[in-house]
Amino acid sequence: MTPRGTHGEDSGGGSGSSRMSQWRTKLVFVQIKRLMILTLVTLLKHRGPDWSGLYQHGDCFLAHQRLAIVDPASGDQPLYNEDKSIVVTVNGEIYNHEELRKRLPNHKFRTGSDCDVIAHLYEEYGENFVDMLDGMFSFVLLDTRDNSFIVARDAIGITSLYIGWSLDGSVWIASELKGLNDDCEHFESFPPGHLYSSKEGALKRWYNPTWFSEAIPSAPYDPLALRSAFETAVIKRLMTDVPFGVLLSGGLDSSLVASITARHLAGTKAAKQWGAQLHSFCVGLEGSPDLKAAKEVADYLGTVHHEFYFTVQDGIDAIEDVIYHIETYDVTTIRASTPMFLMSRKIKSLGVKMVISGEGSDEIFGGYLYFHKAPNKEEFHRETCRKIKALHQYDCLRANKSTSAWGLEARVPFLDKDFINVAMAIDPEFKLIKKDQGRIEKWVIRKAFDDEEHPYLPKHILYRQKEQFSDGVGYSWIDGLKSHAALHVTDKMMLNAARIFPHNTPTTKEAYYYRMIFERFFPQNSARNTVPGGPSVACSTATAVAWDAEWSKNLDPSGRAIFEVHQQAYDKQAAPVTSSIVPPEIIDNVPQMKVSTPGVAILS
């Protein structure tokens, strides 16, 4: 969106011919900008291949690429209030839209879209309505009555969003970096749980839960309350008018999502339209841990299961596409995004447009294996808070962009606002990993669904050790990536890494390789600053690396870096950075994408 700025103002005065000349100049400028936006918004068409919309008011533009999930027949955007004075473009889903419509009895809605409530809520409540929304969303709302606008992003940052500023005073908003105006002097990730108001020219936080302060909670563990909260979170995400399924890796989180969905699908509107048998999807290398476990869970639940295989070479060949779409150079994100990117393409080819996924559980419950070394419950809890706050830079970014690259939507029930409130209020003493008491990682959620009378999952699946997605698809995937990077990044290149990349300097050849590709697509300083950095082991924050002195010697994001915890841990004496399983002869030269992509767009 480019709000009204200096280019849109008429200073007045002067002769008639002068005013006519000014008017023509202004008209030409606006038309040029419109053509530019129409051209460059196509860079986001992969996110919404179903329809394109563009609204213009003076020199304010709202463009949208739609992926139709709810009310695909009439929910095209932009959306309006009754007299079209309020205009909205939205990416996301509002799960409580039917309840919100009941709170607006004097309003008439143009469509059945879940996002149609936003313009009317603003008209009724002003900027303070955002906290009423239960869902995942990024939106731009233009009030044509005074040419003001607001921008908001969901609580956790499930949907991606960026904001940029140009020297001419215009403000640009886009779902992806590639959609921002190349003339933006500065741009950054739009922070989750925030609202930007043009009237104030500033961001302010609208999401202020109790856990955000990182104060240590003291509520007793109530397994039935936790179970109920998560079932509710999954059920509300069955709102769809298109075919859908679940991503099933065979790990705890995705298996619980699949189990609950399979239990409650019958009787829903989705079941009446598309059938009551759930479809599940899994990806992996031949013989990978995830494929085996997912098949077992699928058979147990009776889903229509789809297995997708890829080779290490398939993944390597896709790396440039992945970095272009995911817009990061973070090692663990790229490792995990690649199989998800490949799987999403296969899923979309089957006619499916929405999937439910298990992201967020490890952050909320301390599921990563490094949590075994948490020194006390206070540090355990603070680390979970830090991890949730950073999700928009990692797993949310991966889930959103890996799927959106192919016009597929991912929903994540573990990041439901109400569920997070319940889970983060539990005294972290109950979340601590205590092997002597039989409590492994994420024990509280495992125990909540350990129902002897009506089991949700087989016991060994319910208590399967945490496996990071990039590991679970097959251990040779990461080893192959490291081998490939070693062929393209020399020791001499690594010696100069700090001079070439002074910000977030890559410390491994794999990281250097990804950084080179990222910089070709996104060379701006602002772009590299959107990617997080700092030391990490097994997906920890930099703060948690201090929990174990040995970790600083092996800063690898794989769960196998946690010696004596992961069942398939790296050999402590080995050098995992240079380990190789993939024969060099199957590794081709770096594939080159043909198109470079600076650009402009609004929001999709």
Side-chain angles (χ1 to χ4, degrees), residues 553-570:
K553 302 174 185 177
N554 185 41
L555 295 173
D556 190 286
S558 169
R560 288 184 290 160
I562 305 299
F563 304 126
E564 300 167 359
V565 174
H566 194 288
Q567 294 163 358
Q568 299 293 327
Y570 294 130

CSV table of all heavy atoms in Angstrom, one decimal, residues 553-570:
chain,number,residue,atom,x,y,z
A,553,LYS,N,31.1,-25.4,21.4
A,553,LYS,CA,32.1,-26.1,20.5
A,553,LYS,C,31.4,-26.7,19.3
A,553,LYS,O,32.1,-27.2,18.4
A,553,LYS,CB,32.9,-27.1,21.3
A,553,LYS,CG,33.6,-26.5,22.5
A,553,LYS,CD,34.2,-27.7,23.3
A,553,LYS,CE,34.9,-27.1,24.6
A,553,LYS,NZ,35.4,-28.2,25.5
A,554,ASN,N,30.1,-26.8,19.3
A,554,ASN,CA,29.4,-27.5,18.2
A,554,ASN,C,28.1,-26.8,17.9
A,554,ASN,O,27.0,-27.4,18.2
A,554,ASN,CB,29.2,-29.0,18.6
A,554,ASN,CG,28.5,-29.8,17.5
A,554,ASN,OD1,28.9,-29.6,16.3
A,554,ASN,ND2,27.6,-30.6,17.8
A,555,LEU,N,28.1,-25.6,17.4
A,555,LEU,CA,26.9,-24.8,17.2
A,555,LEU,C,26.2,-25.3,15.9
A,555,LEU,O,26.4,-24.7,14.8
A,555,LEU,CB,27.3,-23.3,17.1
A,555,LEU,CG,27.8,-22.8,18.4
A,555,LEU,CD1,28.3,-21.4,18.2
A,555,LEU,CD2,26.8,-22.8,19.5
A,556,ASP,N,25.5,-26.4,16.0
A,556,ASP,CA,24.8,-26.9,14.8
A,556,ASP,C,23.3,-26.9,15.2
A,556,ASP,O,23.0,-27.4,16.3
A,556,ASP,CB,25.3,-28.3,14.5
A,556,ASP,CG,24.7,-28.8,13.2
A,556,ASP,OD1,23.5,-29.1,13.1
A,556,ASP,OD2,25.4,-28.8,12.2
A,557,PRO,N,22.4,-26.5,14.3
A,557,PRO,CA,21.0,-26.4,14.6
A,557,PRO,C,20.3,-27.8,14.7
A,557,PRO,O,19.1,-27.9,15.1
A,557,PRO,CB,20.4,-25.5,13.6
A,557,PRO,CG,21.4,-25.6,12.4
A,557,PRO,CD,22.7,-25.8,13.0
A,558,SER,N,21.0,-28.8,14.2
A,558,SER,CA,20.3,-30.2,14.2
A,558,SER,C,20.2,-30.7,15.7
A,558,SER,O,21.0,-30.4,16.5
A,558,SER,CB,21.2,-31.2,13.4
A,558,SER,OG,20.7,-32.5,13.7
A,559,GLY,N,19.1,-31.4,15.9
A,559,GLY,CA,18.9,-32.0,17.2
A,559,GLY,C,20.0,-33.0,17.5
A,559,GLY,O,20.2,-33.3,18.7
A,560,ARG,N,20.6,-33.5,16.5
A,560,ARG,CA,21.7,-34.5,16.8
A,560,ARG,C,22.9,-33.9,17.4
A,560,ARG,O,23.9,-34.6,17.8
A,560,ARG,CB,22.1,-35.2,15.4
A,560,ARG,CG,21.0,-36.1,14.9
A,560,ARG,CD,21.4,-36.9,13.7
A,560,ARG,NE,21.5,-36.0,12.5
A,560,ARG,CZ,22.2,-36.2,11.4
A,560,ARG,NH1,23.0,-37.3,11.4
A,560,ARG,NH2,22.2,-35.4,10.4
A,561,ALA,N,22.9,-32.6,17.5
A,561,ALA,CA,24.1,-31.9,18.2
A,561,ALA,C,24.0,-32.0,19.7
A,561,ALA,O,24.9,-31.7,20.4
A,561,ALA,CB,24.1,-30.4,17.8
A,562,ILE,N,22.8,-32.5,20.2
A,562,ILE,CA,22.7,-32.6,21.6
A,562,ILE,C,23.2,-34.0,22.0
A,562,ILE,O,22.4,-35.0,22.0
A,562,ILE,CB,21.2,-32.4,22.1
A,562,ILE,CG1,20.7,-31.1,21.6
A,562,ILE,CG2,21.1,-32.5,23.6
A,562,ILE,CD1,21.5,-29.9,22.1
A,563,PHE,N,24.5,-34.1,22.3
A,563,PHE,CA,25.1,-35.4,22.7
A,563,PHE,C,24.4,-36.0,23.9
A,563,PHE,O,24.0,-35.3,24.8
A,563,PHE,CB,26.6,-35.2,23.0
A,563,PHE,CG,27.3,-34.6,21.9
A,563,PHE,CD1,28.1,-33.4,22.1
A,563,PHE,CD2,27.3,-35.1,20.6
A,563,PHE,CE1,28.8,-32.9,21.1
A,563,PHE,CE2,28.0,-34.5,19.6
A,563,PHE,CZ,28.8,-33.4,19.8
A,564,GLU,N,24.3,-37.3,23.9
A,564,GLU,CA,23.8,-38.1,25.1
A,564,GLU,C,22.3,-37.8,25.3
A,564,GLU,O,21.8,-38.2,26.4
A,564,GLU,CB,24.6,-37.7,26.4
A,564,GLU,CG,26.1,-38.1,26.2
A,564,GLU,CD,26.9,-37.5,27.3
A,564,GLU,OE1,26.3,-36.8,28.2
A,564,GLU,OE2,28.1,-37.7,27.3
A,565,VAL,N,21.6,-37.2,24.4
A,565,VAL,CA,20.2,-37.0,24.5
A,565,VAL,C,19.5,-37.6,23.2
A,565,VAL,O,18.6,-38.4,23.3
A,565,VAL,CB,19.8,-35.5,24.7
A,565,VAL,CG1,18.3,-35.3,24.6
A,565,VAL,CG2,20.3,-35.0,26.0
A,566,HIS,N,19.9,-37.1,22.0
A,566,HIS,CA,19.3,-37.6,20.8
A,566,HIS,C,19.8,-39.0,20.6
A,566,HIS,O,21.0,-39.3,20.7
A,566,HIS,CB,19.7,-36.7,19.6
A,566,HIS,CG,18.9,-37.0,18.4
A,566,HIS,ND1,19.1,-38.1,17.6
A,566,HIS,CD2,17.9,-36.2,17.8
A,566,HIS,CE1,18.2,-38.0,16.6
A,566,HIS,NE2,17.5,-36.9,16.7
A,567,GLN,N,18.8,-39.9,20.2
A,567,GLN,CA,19.1,-41.3,20.0
A,567,GLN,C,20.0,-41.6,18.9
A,567,GLN,O,20.7,-42.6,18.7
A,567,GLN,CB,17.8,-42.1,19.9
A,567,GLN,CG,17.0,-42.0,21.2
A,567,GLN,CD,15.5,-42.4,21.0
A,567,GLN,OE1,15.1,-42.7,19.9
A,567,GLN,NE2,14.8,-42.4,22.1
A,568,GLN,N,20.1,-40.6,17.9
A,568,GLN,CA,21.0,-40.7,16.7
A,568,GLN,C,22.0,-39.6,16.7
A,568,GLN,O,22.3,-39.0,15.7
A,568,GLN,CB,20.2,-40.8,15.4
A,568,GLN,CG,19.2,-41.9,15.3
A,568,GLN,CD,19.9,-43.2,15.2
A,568,GLN,OE1,21.0,-43.3,14.7
A,568,GLN,NE2,19.3,-44.3,15.8
A,569,ALA,N,22.5,-39.2,17.9
A,569,ALA,CA,23.4,-38.0,18.0
A,569,ALA,C,24.6,-38.2,17.2
A,569,ALA,O,25.1,-39.3,16.9
A,569,ALA,CB,23.7,-37.8,19.5
A,570,TYR,N,25.2,-37.0,16.8
A,570,TYR,CA,26.5,-37.1,16.1
A,570,TYR,C,27.5,-37.7,17.0
A,570,TYR,O,27.4,-37.6,18.3
A,570,TYR,CB,27.0,-35.6,15.8
A,570,TYR,CG,26.2,-34.8,14.8
A,570,TYR,CD1,25.8,-33.5,15.2
A,570,TYR,CD2,25.9,-35.3,13.6
A,570,TYR,CE1,25.1,-32.8,14.3
A,570,TYR,CE2,25.2,-34.6,12.7
A,570,TYR,CZ,24.8,-33.3,13.0
A,570,TYR,OH,24.1,-32.5,12.1
